[in-house]
Amino acid sequence: MVRKVVVVGGGTAGWMTASYLQATFGERIEITVIESDRVPTIGVGEATFSTIRHFFEYLGLAESDWMPACGATYKLAIRFENWRRPGHYFYHPFERLRSVDGFPISEWWLAHGEGDRADRDIFLMAALGDALLAPRYLDGRLFDDGPTASDQQVTGRTTLSEQTAQFPYAYHFDAALLAAFLRDRAVRLGVQHVLDDVQNVNLSARGSIDHLVTKNHGELRGDLYIDCSGFRGLLINQALGEPFESYQDYLPNDRAVALRVPADQQRDGIPPYTRATAMDAGWIWTIPLFHRNGMGYVYSADYCSPEDAERTLREYAGPAAADLEANHIKMRVGRSRRFWVQNCVAIGLSGGFVEPLESTGIFFIQYGIEQLVKHFPAFGHAEDLAASYNTLLARCLDGVREFLFLHYYTAAREDNRYWKDARQRTVPPGLAERLEAWRVRLPDTENVWSHYHGFEPYSYTAMLLGLGGLQTAPRPALQLVDPARAEREFADIAARSAELVRTLPSHYEYVASLHEAATG
């Protein structure tokens, strides 16, 4: 039986993995995290999916337990700016579409709506984002009386596969602070923490990992090894030789430069969204935390030099960025061919990565951990379980690759070579047929990527209607159906939006109340 699990690498991936395994198995397995103090973490994964709530609830943590310690804020959506044209923006929220007479409200908007801001008419979150509002009232109630009535209420151990309702928000947090929070908690609960460098990975005669050789602690052995070593892929790629499959032909952005920018959030307010601003050679993220803003320019080295990227980012950030140290990152975009090889499972950047345009980094970690538990072996090498795991993870990442490809391929912007080239790239297998289908029928469960990858049809619809580069025609049937009920639904969305704007507290006010409660 697997009794000893060795996690190589700390950071968010390592400590999320150790924490989840500890919560699942308790003292029945021994968990060791080997972390080097000489290898810096990437630390840009500060925005998440709404599904991250399952992770915290699985650990038994309420928002008030961890958010203040990690500088966390809420994320209701991603706000895309300048992707259609300069000055234009739209939201991709965590919000499913309403339905009227068997058609999603988005189809009714195509038939009867006006302008180029469908998000304002079909989603509530656009109004909350514009007004910088929290998703909860000051007494902790969720604005839509959804599955969690209070931030103090932990609903139990659920996983991604059990999610039936769409939870309306995710989080922004400081990845380094979250890793430290999880580390301290895990160590208190019995996880062993070894601060050392892995100098060699020794394989057995059958090709599995026999033991690790560390600088100061000698040989360390386990039954199952988890590679959380980041882009290095120390175990999965370097030691076991698993090939890496690049997504570069579809997603050319391969660099990033990041800044941690001071901000007066009380004065300026905290946007309840991640901002993704299109630039000449990529896009800039702005992630608002309680104590600062995270900013970064994701770009392609084929179109922009590191020096120009840093200069562009500093100009965008303004005077607050003066004298700040910039973190330049070379991104390995793609995935290992297999995530589980022999007695080693790669989780996090060692397994795969796409640019953080839709905040998928933490999601990939969470999905990898959950599926590891569901596929947990009796012994380190379990061929059938590994094959199933590898299929699920590969489908997930390949589906996200396709979704991100759409962001560029269907963006109306084409004012320079970078954006013109985005419309000429090789289309991932199967997507061309789906694109043609979407011209006459907006995305639904029957015509999007069919395997689980974290995105539902409404996400595709939000992007296609917002980006504006794919001509979509209204359903002919809706020209013949009485639109009265749809008109009432649009009116209800507008009225409900106005009511929430009147009654919800500001995002800063609510998050500040969490901090006051934690320190008081």
Side-chain angles (χ1 to χ4, degrees):
M1 294 294 291
V2 170
R3 296 298 186 189
K4 293 185 178 181
V5 175
V6 177
V7 181
V8 177
T12 312
W15 289 110
M16 283 183 67
T17 300
S19 297
Y20 200 91
L21 293 178
Q22 190 283 326
T24 302
F25 300 114
E27 297 179 355
R28 287 174 288 279
I29 65 171
E30 179 183 310
I31 304 166
T32 300
V33 177
I34 307 173
E35 184 174 26
S36 173
D37 60 358
R38 298 189 308 107
V39 179
T41 58
I42 297 298
V44 300
E46 296 173 326
T48 60
F49 274 21
S50 64
T51 51
I52 190 63
R53 72 183 182 91
H54 294 288
F55 173 80
F56 291 111
E57 291 191 351
Y58 197 90
L59 268 56
L61 294 170
E63 291 176 357
S64 52
D65 294 330
W66 69 271
M67 284 185 67
C70 301
T73 61
Y74 292 111
K75 173 188 170 186
L76 308 184
I78 300 175
R79 172 165 152 157
F80 289 87
E81 299 184 355
N82 301 341
W83 288 72
R84 190 176 188 130
R85 64 177 182 276
H88 179 272
Y89 72 89
F90 68 95
Y91 291 97
H92 170 203
F94 300 110
E95 184 178 353
R96 289 176 180 164
L97 294 164
R98 302 184 185 194
S99 181
V100 178
D101 290 342
F103 293 92
I105 195 74
S106 53
E107 294 281 9
W108 287 100
W109 186 89
L110 269 182
H112 301 286
E114 297 180 354
D116 57 12
R117 286 294 310 279
D119 59 313
R120 285 178 173 167
D121 296 331
I122 64 178
F123 296 120
L124 296 173
M125 295 300 184
L128 274 62
D130 283 348
L132 308 187
L133 299 178
R136 292 185 180 275
Y137 293 97
L138 289 176
D139 61 6
R141 287 178 298 120
L142 194 63
F143 77 90
D144 66 350
D145 297 322
T148 305
S150 167
D151 84 295
Q152 297 297 331
Q153 179 182 344
V154 178
T155 58
R157 289 187 171 184
T158 59
T159 64
L160 296 171
S161 59
E162 285 97 63
Q163 175 156 315
T164 55
Q166 173 62 68
F167 199 67
Y169 65 77
Y171 306 101
H172 306 117
F173 50 70
D174 187 310
L177 292 179
L178 179 66
F181 175 87
L182 294 176
R183 178 199 65 211
D184 294 346
R185 181 179 181 277
V187 170
R188 288 196 305 270
L189 294 173
V191 173
Q192 298 181 37
H193 183 204
V194 176
L195 200 60
D196 206 345
D197 296 319
V198 175
Q199 294 186 315
N200 197 28
V201 181
N202 286 7
L203 305 183
S204 68
R206 63 188 300 273
S208 62
I209 298 175
D210 184 73
H211 65 273
L212 309 176
V213 179
T214 63
K215 181 179 180 180
N216 299 315
H217 292 75
E219 296 182 359
L220 292 177
R221 298 177 183 273
D223 302 310
L224 184 67
Y225 296 84
I226 313 297
D227 188 346
C228 296
S229 64
F231 288 139
R232 294 183 300 153
L234 179 64
L235 306 185
I236 195 76
N237 303 125
Q238 294 185 33
L240 295 174
E242 185 65 15
F244 181 79
E245 297 184 351
S246 175
Y247 289 167
Q248 203 74 26
D249 289 344
Y250 308 108
L251 300 171
N253 292 340
D254 56 357
R255 303 288 183 93
V257 55
L259 294 170
R260 296 171 176 248
V261 182
D264 187 339
Q265 307 292 41
Q266 183 174 12
R267 179 195 66 199
D268 300 333
I270 303 177
Y273 51 79
T274 302
R275 180 183 286 114
T277 305
M279 306 299 288
D280 287 344
W283 59 279
I284 287 177
W285 79 72
T286 305
I287 297 175
L289 305 180
F290 187 70
H291 55 294
R292 66 170 173 86
N293 289 327
M295 291 187 178
Y297 188 6
V298 177
Y299 64 98
S300 169
D302 291 337
Y303 298 85
C304 183
S305 69
E307 295 76 17
D308 286 343
E310 181 176 337
R311 181 168 53 253
T312 299
L313 178 61
R314 290 186 183 278
E315 290 173 353
Y316 181 88
D323 302 323
L324 295 178
E325 181 180 0
N327 180 19
H328 287 266
I329 304 159
K330 291 183 179 180
M331 302 186 301
R332 189 179 72 156
V333 179
R335 62 174 175 85
S336 293
R337 185 181 63 187
R338 293 177 296 171
F339 300 79
W340 186 340
V341 178
Q342 297 283 353
N343 59 342
C344 173
V345 180
I347 291 179
L349 301 180
S350 58
F353 177 77
V354 296
E355 62 181 270
L357 185 54
E358 285 284 352
S359 312
T360 48
I362 301 285
F363 164 70
F364 289 153
I365 295 169
Q366 181 185 4
Y367 187 58
I369 298 167
E370 287 191 5
Q371 289 303 321
L372 174 59
V373 167
K374 293 175 186 292
H375 291 77
F376 203 77
F379 303 96
H381 179 61
E383 188 171 336
D384 291 343
L385 289 171
S388 173
Y389 183 91
N390 287 329
T391 296
L392 291 173
L393 269 292
R395 287 172 173 172
C396 179
L397 268 78
D398 289 351
V400 172
R401 175 197 64 185
E402 177 172 302
F403 184 56
L404 295 195
F405 179 85
L406 287 176
H407 290 53
Y408 298 96
Y409 191 78
T410 65
R413 180 169 180 163
E414 49 181 358
D415 57 344
N416 66 8
R417 186 168 67 91
Y418 176 89
W419 290 99
K420 290 177 180 177
D421 288 352
R423 306 293 295 274
Q424 305 302 319
R425 299 200 189 283
T426 303
V427 177
L431 179 57
E433 180 180 349
R434 286 188 278 276
L435 285 167
E436 288 305 307
W438 295 335
R439 292 182 185 276
V440 296
R441 176 182 174 185
L442 286 176
D444 58 32
T445 54
E446 297 177 358
N447 63 18
V448 299
W449 181 263
S450 60
H451 306 291
Y452 179 77
H453 59 296
F455 293 100
E456 298 184 19
Y458 79 81
S459 291
Y460 288 78
T461 294
M463 295 311 301
L464 292 180
L465 294 180
L467 291 166
L470 183 73
Q471 295 301 311
T472 51
R475 299 276 187 102
L478 295 186
Q479 302 297 329
L480 303 173
V481 178
D482 183 355
R485 280 185 288 273
E487 290 170 354
R488 288 197 294 271
E489 200 69 29
F490 285 122
D492 182 72
I493 292 172
R496 178 64 173 150
S497 297
E499 178 188 4
L500 291 172
V501 169
R502 287 195 305 271
T503 59
L504 282 170
S506 75
H507 189 198
Y508 176 83
E509 184 181 8
Y510 186 84
V511 177
S513 72
L514 292 180
H515 280 259
E516 291 169 4
T519 58

